């Protein structure tokens, strides 16, 4: 039984040593090279790390970044990608949560990194991959490997936090191995595939790209982010690189169809389209299925906290525009169920009864790093089981069973949203707006129909000033698309902002 994802890399390096494991628009690495580089990086890190600690990687997604991830895993630590586009305050907040004392950068990122004010060791990836390990260091790495457990952390992904502080979901090797073994088998991913990576490396969709490829000896073709603004160039890129598999966020797929990309070209090798992150509009799904009638289309669902996905639905029939696309059935070795407000089980016979989607199994992650309070709120004992410890994750998502007894997503239980493929806590945006000069109080609401964030505020400030303030604190994808100034926030009888009344006044305009 596999204990570490590094076994995926080692096995593929034996079977396909000269095959391209990963490529970006500037470079590529064979499986043999990727394994060699990961060992070099691991050996070079030995003087700087202790087993199980966090190692931030501050660079754009690339072949080098993947080598860094695998080197960190080889030395018994876990990696966290820090996105260049994030404001300095957010990055420093993540570093503080991780209590990190070192960081890996590339040459391109080195100058940007200096602005962070990080006081730990900063190592350059270009030097790490060229490191020559001694026999003693190889023995140290072997010892680390022998002592490792499959429940040791592999990576952390930071999601938006309701208090303004990002939450780091910490995921172990076992959760990834169990999921990827099922994922690749279920959808027939093999060494013949070239997976077109769309997702950022700090977004859990990329975990499926990376470890599906390493498991099966496939190739990861990293797609430059800029291409998603130019569908024609994007489609040429997919075609020229013979991409077979798209494991993309819904918003990325919709870019192609919204801008009529298929009128220009249909890349000839695509045979699997697996999507997640938000509800797939049937209109766009139908356009993709018309372009690729013989391809497999799969709707997968699940938050970062349960290791990528917990359910899947292979699209095997036509859907009308007003139909809801099911999120399907659980992956093997995952238990997915609905609990009502009294924590009682909702069954498939309870057609259209709404309940919270809950998940049990080895896919459930280790919680939020260095955040016991938030972990204890969402990772709880299964209320249906009082006989032994069974930790479940309460997703905060609402779902129901349709007439066909298929599980369907309904909406968010709280104010956490999924917008453009990202999970966002509206409270984090509230906190950032409230901190801006000239703002007395703020409240953000997500308009489900229009799919944009509205920032309500009271005070003397204006949209331009608030936007400028937010850009220093939040990623661009978290900025409200519209700001509405109000004389005073309406409140409920218990003193909370009345969001329903805010939206009613907004809709009257």
């Amino acid at each position: 039984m596999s204990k570490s994802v590094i076994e995926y890399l080692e096995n593929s390096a034996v079977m396909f040593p000269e095959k391209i494991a990963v490529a970006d628009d500037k470079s590529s690495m064979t499986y043999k090279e990727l394994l060699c580089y990961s060992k070099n990086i691991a050996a070079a890190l030995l003087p700087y790390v202790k087993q199980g600690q966090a190692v931030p990687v501050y660079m754009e997604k690339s072949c080098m970044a993947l080598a860094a991830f695998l080197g960190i895993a080889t030395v018994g630590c876990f990696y966290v990608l820090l996105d260049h586009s994030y404001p300095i305050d957010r990055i420093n907040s993540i570093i503080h949560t991780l209590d990190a004392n070192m960081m890996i950068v590339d040459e391109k990122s080195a100058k940007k990194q200096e602005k962070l004010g990080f006081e730990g060791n900063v190592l350059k990836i270009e030097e790490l991959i060229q490191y020559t390990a001694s026999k003693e260091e190889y023995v140290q790495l072997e010892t680390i490997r022998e002592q490792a457990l499959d429940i040791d952390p592999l990576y952390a992904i930071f999601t938006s936090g309701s208090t303004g502080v990002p939450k780091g979901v910490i995921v172990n090797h076992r959760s990834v191995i169990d999921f990827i073994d099922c994922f690749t088998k279920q959808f027939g991913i093999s060494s013949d595939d070239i997976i077109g990576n769309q997702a950022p490396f700090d977004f859990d969709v990329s975990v499926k790209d990376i470890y599906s490829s390493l498991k099966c000896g496939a190739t990861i073709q990293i797609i430059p982010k800029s291409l998603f603004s130019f569908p024609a160039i994007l489609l040429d890129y997919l075609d020229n690189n013979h991409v077979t598999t798209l494991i993309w966020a819904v918003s990325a797929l919709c870019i192609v169809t919204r801008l009529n990309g298929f009128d220009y070209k249909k890349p000839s090798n695509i045979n699997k389209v697996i999507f997640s992150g938000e509800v797939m509009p049937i209109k766009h799904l139908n356009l993709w299925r018309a372009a690729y009638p013989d391809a497999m289309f799969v709707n997968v669902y699940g938050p970062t906290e349960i290791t990528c996905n917990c359910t899947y639905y292979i699209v095997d029939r036509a859907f009308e525009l007003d139909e809801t696309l099911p999120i399907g059935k659980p992956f093997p070795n995952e238990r997915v169920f609905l609990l009502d407000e009294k924590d009682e089980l909702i069954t498939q016979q309870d057609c259209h009864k709404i309940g919270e989607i809950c998940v049990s199994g080895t896919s459930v992650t280790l919680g939020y790093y260095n955040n016991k309070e938030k972990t204890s709120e969402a990772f709880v004992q299964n209320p249906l089981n009082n006989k032994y410890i069974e930790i479940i994750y309460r997703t905060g998502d609402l779902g129901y069973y349709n007439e066909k007894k298929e599980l369907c997503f309904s909406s968010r239980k709280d104010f956490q949203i999924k917008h453009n493929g990202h999970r966002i806590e509206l409270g984090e945006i509230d906190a950032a707006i409230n901190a801006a000069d000239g703002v007395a109080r703020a409240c953000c609401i997500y308009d489900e129909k229009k799919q944009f964030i509205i920032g309500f505020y009271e005070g003397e400030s204006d949209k331009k000033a608030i936007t400028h303030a937010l850009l220093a604190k939040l990623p661009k994808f978290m900025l409200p698309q519209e700001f509405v100034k109000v004389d005073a926030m309406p409140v409920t009888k218990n003193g909370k902002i009345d969001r329903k009344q805010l939206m009613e006044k907004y809709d009257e305009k």
Side-chain angles (χ1 to χ4, degrees):
M1 178 182 289
S2 297
K3 286 203 307 180
S4 167
V5 296
I6 298 303
E7 294 177 46
Y8 285 166
L9 173 60
E10 291 171 338
N11 293 338
S12 290
V14 170
M15 297 181 67
F16 313 103
E18 303 304 325
K19 184 179 180 180
I20 297 298
V22 57
D24 54 38
D25 58 333
K26 298 181 180 66
S27 63
S28 64
M29 294 179 185
T30 65
Y31 272 100
K32 181 179 179 180
E33 289 171 333
L34 186 57
L35 179 60
C36 177
Y37 291 153
S38 68
K39 289 181 178 179
N40 293 350
I41 293 166
L45 291 178
L46 282 170
Y48 302 96
V49 300
K50 293 181 180 179
Q51 200 165 350
Q53 81 174 58
V55 180
V57 178
Y58 185 67
M59 64 179 78
E60 295 178 355
K61 67 175 183 176
S62 62
C63 297
M64 289 283 201
L66 180 55
F69 293 172
L70 297 170
I72 292 165
T74 300
V75 79
C77 296
F78 70 93
Y79 61 86
V80 183
L81 184 80
L82 303 177
D83 192 313
H84 274 195
S85 67
Y86 285 179
I88 290 175
D89 286 351
R90 183 179 176 86
I91 292 174
N92 283 333
S93 174
I94 292 172
I95 292 172
H96 176 74
T97 299
L98 293 171
D99 194 23
N101 63 7
M102 67 155 301
M103 180 185 301
I104 297 176
V105 302
D106 58 10
E107 290 284 356
K108 184 178 178 181
S109 308
K111 289 186 178 180
K112 288 185 178 181
Q113 180 277 327
E114 291 174 2
K115 298 178 181 178
L116 298 177
F118 180 67
E119 296 180 354
N121 293 299
V122 179
L123 307 179
K124 291 184 178 178
I125 189 67
E126 291 86 355
E127 297 173 3
L128 296 178
I129 64 171
Q130 298 300 327
Y131 184 81
T132 302
S134 65
K135 289 183 179 179
E136 290 78 10
E137 287 168 330
Y138 278 126
V139 171
Q140 281 184 267
L141 292 177
E142 279 300 315
T143 301
I144 289 172
R145 184 72 167 270
E146 290 170 3
Q147 295 175 346
L149 303 177
D150 60 4
I151 58 171
D152 290 340
L154 171 61
Y155 65 83
I157 289 179
F158 278 77
T159 64
S160 176
S162 59
T163 61
V165 179
K167 296 181 297 186
V169 180
I170 185 80
V171 185
N172 64 30
H173 287 257
R174 171 51 49 200
S175 293
V176 174
I177 291 168
D178 273 9
F179 174 73
I180 292 297
D181 284 357
C182 293
F183 185 84
T184 52
K185 181 180 180 180
Q186 206 70 43
F187 307 131
I189 297 173
S190 72
S191 59
D192 295 328
D193 281 309
I194 297 175
I195 298 177
N197 164 251
Q198 166 265 324
F201 278 3
D202 65 337
F203 188 27
D204 68 346
V205 175
S206 68
V207 172
K208 291 174 280 190
D209 296 335
I210 292 169
Y211 294 105
S212 293
S213 293
L214 296 181
K215 156 80 176 175
C216 300
T219 296
I220 314 168
Q221 182 66 50
I222 297 173
I223 305 169
K225 182 180 178 181
S226 60
L227 298 194
F228 287 88
S229 298
F230 306 98
I233 302 175
L234 171 63
L235 294 172
D236 279 337
Y237 191 87
L238 297 177
D239 210 19
N240 294 340
N241 288 285
H242 312 292
V243 170
T244 65
T245 305
L246 306 181
I247 308 172
W248 285 11
V250 165
S251 55
L253 293 173
C254 291
I255 287 172
V256 175
T257 44
R258 181 167 54 84
L259 298 176
N260 302 314
F262 291 138
D263 290 347
Y264 167 71
K265 172 181 281 189
K266 298 181 182 69
S268 56
N269 294 287
I270 293 173
N271 56 43
K272 289 180 284 292
V273 181
I274 304 170
F275 49 89
S276 61
E278 52 200 327
V279 177
M280 179 66 164
I282 299 299
K283 183 182 295 182
H284 292 277
L285 174 62
N286 289 346
L287 291 171
W288 271 92
R289 293 189 73 200
Y292 294 99
D294 298 323
M296 174 189 288
F297 286 83
V298 188
N299 182 26
V300 290
Y301 160 83
T304 304
E305 286 86 344
I306 52 80
T307 314
C308 300
N309 304 121
C310 55
T311 69
Y312 69 97
Y313 178 78
I314 297 175
V315 183
D316 58 358
R317 60 185 175 89
F319 282 82
E320 299 298 327
L321 297 183
D322 60 350
E323 281 191 89
T324 297
L325 190 67
I327 58 175
K329 60 183 180 180
F331 280 95
N333 205 31
E334 298 192 50
R335 182 178 296 128
V336 180
F337 54 98
L338 301 179
L339 292 178
D340 66 15
E341 293 181 350
K342 296 180 180 179
D343 280 346
E344 294 179 352
L345 184 67
I346 295 174
T347 69
Q348 291 179 324
Q349 282 68 41
D350 299 318
C351 186
H352 287 281
K353 184 176 180 180
I354 299 288
E356 182 178 8
I357 301 172
C358 299
V359 186
S360 175
T362 56
S363 64
V364 175
T365 60
L366 301 176
Y368 302 116
Y369 191 76
N370 200 14
N371 194 334
K372 291 182 180 179
E373 181 182 354
K374 289 297 180 183
T375 297
S376 63
E377 290 176 7
F379 296 82
V380 301
Q381 172 66 24
N382 185 352
L384 303 177
N385 177 6
N386 61 4
K387 305 300 182 185
Y388 54 87
I389 294 174
E390 181 190 356
I391 299 300
I392 66 169
Y393 176 66
R394 304 191 72 131
T395 68
D397 286 336
L398 299 177
Y400 63 90
Y401 295 103
N402 65 16
E403 294 85 352
K404 297 178 182 290
K405 299 183 180 180
E406 298 164 329
L407 183 60
C408 298
F409 172 82
S410 175
S411 64
R412 284 296 302 167
K413 184 179 180 181
D414 53 21
F415 301 128
Q416 186 184 73
I417 65 169
K418 291 182 179 178
H419 178 57
N420 289 337
H422 296 275
R423 294 184 61 209
I424 298 171
E425 291 274 4
L426 293 178
E428 184 175 2
I429 310 175
D430 292 347
I433 299 176
N434 279 322
D437 292 338
V439 174
R441 200 174 187 190
C443 174
C444 287
I445 298 177
Y446 188 61
D447 190 319
E448 294 282 354
K449 293 181 180 179
K450 297 180 180 178
Q451 293 195 342
F452 63 62
I453 301 167
I454 307 167
F456 295 92
Y457 72 97
E458 54 182 80
E460 301 172 358
S461 194
D462 58 25
K463 177 181 178 179
K464 184 176 180 181
I466 296 172
T467 300
H468 181 74
L470 295 186
L471 284 172
K473 295 178 176 292
L474 302 174
K476 288 184 179 179
F477 66 77
M478 291 180 69
L479 267 60
Q481 283 70 54
E482 185 171 347
F483 289 87
V484 178
K485 183 177 180 178
V486 296
D487 294 330
M489 291 287 175
V491 295
T492 62
K493 61 181 181 181
N494 58 3
K496 294 183 179 180
I497 294 176
D498 192 335
R499 295 168 181 263
K500 182 178 179 181
Q501 191 175 338
L502 273 176
M503 281 304 295
E504 286 173 353
K505 290 184 177 180
Y506 172 79
D507 290 336
E508 288 173 1
K509 294 184 178 180

